[in-house]
Amino acid sequence: MRRPDSCALNPPRRGGPLGVKLAGALAEIGRKAMGPDDPHLRREDLSIILVDAGPRILPGFDRTLSVKAADALTHMGVTVKLNSLVTAVTPDGVQIGAGWIPSTQIAWAAGNRASPLLDTLSAPQDSAGRVIVHPDLTIPDDPWIFVIGDAAHCLGRNGSPLPGVAPVAIQQGRYVADLINQKLTPEQRPAFAYADRGMLATIGRAKAVAQFGPIRASGVLAWVFWCVVHIFFLIGFRNRVRVMSEWVWYYLTFKPGARVLY
């Protein structure tokens, strides 16, 4: 199985938002939390490597944002290895082609196979185990069995499979609910069309990249966008106020909610 990327002492999903976020978070934890709690820990002892098989991280973003994200990670002390295909992962390290990275702390964010429950549908699947669905998100031979989210291999407007992220699953869920409520026959159903409302990827404290149509942003502005979007989707006004106040306090004081104990 092709493993596009991983990381020793940190990781990513083809250098996707999850891997970039985790790499940045580990770098900040090592320097802001572990450092003060362990005075014997030297900065050179902390090695975080983000490995990607592609030519750049965040391939879904504009190339300029990918470069800025890589520069931000490098500035935080993360080593970014591109065009590096992971061929093996063991408890002792990661094999990258002919190279070997020794590490006992390995995180994998390159994605997994879809649920084996999908095998019971006897429907065609892609290499990741996702069911290849019709434009109305149904499986072959049964117009009333729908597969959505990261269990579905559904093509977007550009002909590429839609990513297994929450916005796609939410829109697909609403689309299928409307079809069921209206009891539309297969001939009456419009094809599912994903409305891409933009992408956000956080890197670290006051560091992020954002892409909304022709709009590109990075740094503090993109990070503020990311905070606002995540708070907006929280349920309840009280939760939004509490989370926002906590974030502001942590940002201004650098005080985490927990300390590292040995």
Side-chain angles (χ1 to χ4, degrees), residues 137-186:
L137 305 181
T138 59
I139 67 173
D141 303 326
D142 196 320
W144 290 104
I145 295 182
F146 300 90
V147 181
I148 66 174
D150 55 9
H153 177 106
C154 177
L155 299 181
R157 290 189 178 93
N158 59 359
S160 299
L162 294 174
V165 295
V168 174
I170 292 172
Q171 292 186 33
Q172 289 178 338
R174 290 171 177 165
Y175 166 84
V176 170
D178 288 339
L179 295 185
I180 295 174
N181 287 334
Q182 299 176 35
K183 299 180 180 179
L184 298 179
T185 64

Side-chain angles (χ1 to χ4, degrees), residues 7 15 47 57 67 107 123 125 161 179 189 193 204 217 250:
C7 61
S47 176
I57 60 174
V67 173
Q125 301 177 356
L179 295 185
R189 298 170 184 170
Y250 294 154

Side-chain angles (χ1 to χ4, degrees), residues 25-98:
L26 288 172
E28 291 188 331
I29 289 173
R31 288 161 175 76
K32 298 295 184 182
M34 294 177 64
D37 287 341
D38 187 354
H40 301 291
L41 179 66
R42 300 174 301 175
R43 285 201 170 191
E44 53 268 28
D45 293 333
L46 180 64
S47 176
I48 302 175
I49 305 173
L50 181 67
V51 183
D52 194 301
R56 62 188 177 101
I57 60 174
L58 300 177
F61 286 74
D62 184 81
R63 184 173 295 275
T64 58
L65 295 180
S66 296
V67 173
K68 290 182 178 180
D71 290 343
L73 287 173
T74 301
H75 182 72
M76 296 169 67
V78 177
T79 300
V80 180
K81 295 180 68 67
L82 302 175
N83 299 306
S84 302
L85 180 64
V86 173
T87 55
V89 178
T90 73
D92 301 319
V94 177
Q95 186 75 40
I96 304 176

